[in-house]
């Protein structure tokens, strides 16, 4: 009989360290087929093609105090307030819509309440033309969004037709392809360094980081230039999860 502890020790010594599983979206065989079919359509696109896309998305942000992933504390030191990460049970939250291109971030807007087709249309009427004109003055831009119900509404599709905006085909259940998801994650890490203890402070911090942090623009360029690799990896994985 070999004890579990002995097995764990041998695994550790051989480099098989216990790690938390990576969290990914659930994919059925049908979802994988759809993702793979999409990848084959766009496998010939090069970086210059993806640089003509305006990527968009919505994300939730929560009111929180300044947070740190780690604190410094000696072995026998008493725990004090500075060692505690206080989390509200039901924190306030607000959704934001944002967009990005190869040139950098575009506009960002708070969304009050839940997003629906009417709110999305109002947002597009006020933002899409300005963002497109600024990023693609020659009119070559392509709009990307995921398959959320409010994005797929008939009235929304009609608005894009009226505006003459080409919308990029997009596979469902694919946050690993939605580049702006990575930008939201960077934003949320930066927000942990800032006091966002009220909705007003949260809003101001988001605006400050989005428009004033010049590193975000470089992240945008790197993310968009990663799209050919993502598509290639999606084909190799036959529509399954990719590392992004």
């Amino acid at each position: 009989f070999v004890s579990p502890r002995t097995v764990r020790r041998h695994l550790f010594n051989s480099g098989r360290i216990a790690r938390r599983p990576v969290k990914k979206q659930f994919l059925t065989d049908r979802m994988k087929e759809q993702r793979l079919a999409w990848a084959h359509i766009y496998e010939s696109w090069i970086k210059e093609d993806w640089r003509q896309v305006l990527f968009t998305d919505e994300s939730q942000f929560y009111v929180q105090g300044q947070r740190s992933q780690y604190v410094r504390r000696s072995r026998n030191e008493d725990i004090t307030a500075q060692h505690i990460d206080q989390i509200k049970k039901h924190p306030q939250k607000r959704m934001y819509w944002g967009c990005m291109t190869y040139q950098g971030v575009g506009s960002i807007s708070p969304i009050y309440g839940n997003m629906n087709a009417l709110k999305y249309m109002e947002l597009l009427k006020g933002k899409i033309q300005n963002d497109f004109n600024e990023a693609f003055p020659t009119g070559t831009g392509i709009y990307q969004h995921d398959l959320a119900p409010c994005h797929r509404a008939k009235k929304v599709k009609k608005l894009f037709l009226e505006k003459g905006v080409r919308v990029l085909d997009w596979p469902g259940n694919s946050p690993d392809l939605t580049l702006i998801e990575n930008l939201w994650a960077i934003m949320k890490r930066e927000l942990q360094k800032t006091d966002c203890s009220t909705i007003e402070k949260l809003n101001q911090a988001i605006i400050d980081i989005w428009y004033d942090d010049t590193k975000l623009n470089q992240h945008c360029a790197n993310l968009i230039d990663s799209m050919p690799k993502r598509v290639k990896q999606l084909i190799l994985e036959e529509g399954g999860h990719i590392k992004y």
Side-chain angles (χ1 to χ4, degrees):
F1 173 77
V2 180
S3 71
R5 183 176 180 180
T6 300
V7 173
R8 288 195 296 269
R9 185 176 69 252
H10 281 285
L11 287 171
F12 180 85
N13 291 336
S14 64
R16 301 294 291 175
I17 301 172
R19 304 178 188 275
R20 293 186 183 276
V22 177
K23 294 182 179 180
K24 292 281 188 178
Q25 72 278 11
F26 175 75
L27 293 176
T28 64
D29 289 342
R30 177 59 178 158
M31 293 172 185
K32 292 177 184 179
E33 291 173 3
Q34 292 172 339
R35 281 160 54 90
L36 180 59
W38 177 90
H40 280 306
I41 293 172
Y42 290 95
E43 65 180 317
S44 63
W45 274 34
I46 60 177
K47 291 179 180 179
E48 285 69 22
D49 295 312
W50 291 107
R51 291 176 183 179
Q52 301 304 309
V53 178
L54 179 83
F55 286 87
T56 74
D57 192 29
E58 299 88 24
S59 186
Q60 293 274 16
F61 289 85
Y62 292 86
V63 169
Q64 62 186 20
Q66 188 170 346
R67 303 177 65 186
S68 177
Q69 188 173 0
Y70 299 100
V71 296
R72 298 286 182 180
R73 183 168 64 88
S74 301
R75 185 184 299 270
N76 298 317
E77 183 180 352
D78 291 337
I79 296 176
T80 63
Q82 65 183 359
H83 302 131
I84 299 173
D85 183 7
Q86 300 187 71
I87 302 173
K88 293 183 178 180
K89 189 173 183 180
H90 301 292
Q92 285 183 282
K93 60 184 178 181
R94 180 161 293 169
M95 181 180 286
Y96 288 79
W97 173 92
C99 64
M100 58 174 275
T101 65
Y102 177 77
Q103 289 79 19
V105 299
S107 57
I108 187 169
S109 298
I111 299 165
Y112 301 96
N114 295 324
M115 176 68 96
N116 55 38
L118 291 177
K119 286 184 181 179
Y120 192 48
M121 289 176 66
E122 288 302 314
L123 186 148
L124 293 174
K125 290 176 183 177
K127 298 290 182 183
I128 190 172
Q129 212 65 54
N130 290 336
D131 284 309
F132 258 91
N133 291 341
E134 185 173 338
F136 312 110
T138 59
T140 57
I142 306 170
Y143 188 91
Q144 180 276 336
H145 59 187
D146 61 25
L147 300 185
C150 62
H151 299 166
R152 292 182 287 127
K154 291 182 179 179
K155 60 186 72 174
V156 172
K157 293 180 179 179
K158 181 180 178 182
L159 177 63
F160 280 115
L161 288 174
E162 292 173 350
K163 295 287 185 181
V165 175
R166 178 184 169 189
V167 179
L168 184 69
D169 293 330
W170 202 250
N173 306 284
S174 299
D176 48 359
L177 294 172
T178 306
L179 304 178
I180 199 168
E181 290 278 3
N182 298 102
L183 203 63
W184 291 135
I186 294 168
M187 285 278 294
K188 289 173 181 178
R189 286 199 298 269
E190 291 299 314
L191 286 170
Q192 290 185 347
K193 307 173 186 177
T194 308
D195 179 11
C196 301
S197 54
T198 67
I199 199 73
E200 292 78 16
K201 289 180 178 179
L202 172 66
N203 186 65
Q204 188 59 52
I206 287 174
I207 291 172
D208 290 344
I209 294 172
W210 187 262
Y211 289 114
D212 297 339
D213 189 341
T214 55
K215 297 191 298 295
L216 285 187
N217 291 334
Q218 186 56 53
H219 284 306
C220 290
N222 293 337
L223 287 168
I224 286 178
D225 278 351
S226 74
M227 274 304 298
K229 292 181 180 178
R230 296 184 191 223
V231 175
K232 182 178 180 180
Q233 189 176 356
L234 189 58
I235 293 173
L236 291 174
E237 297 296 336
E238 298 184 341
H241 296 117
I242 60 177
K243 69 176 183 179
Y244 294 92

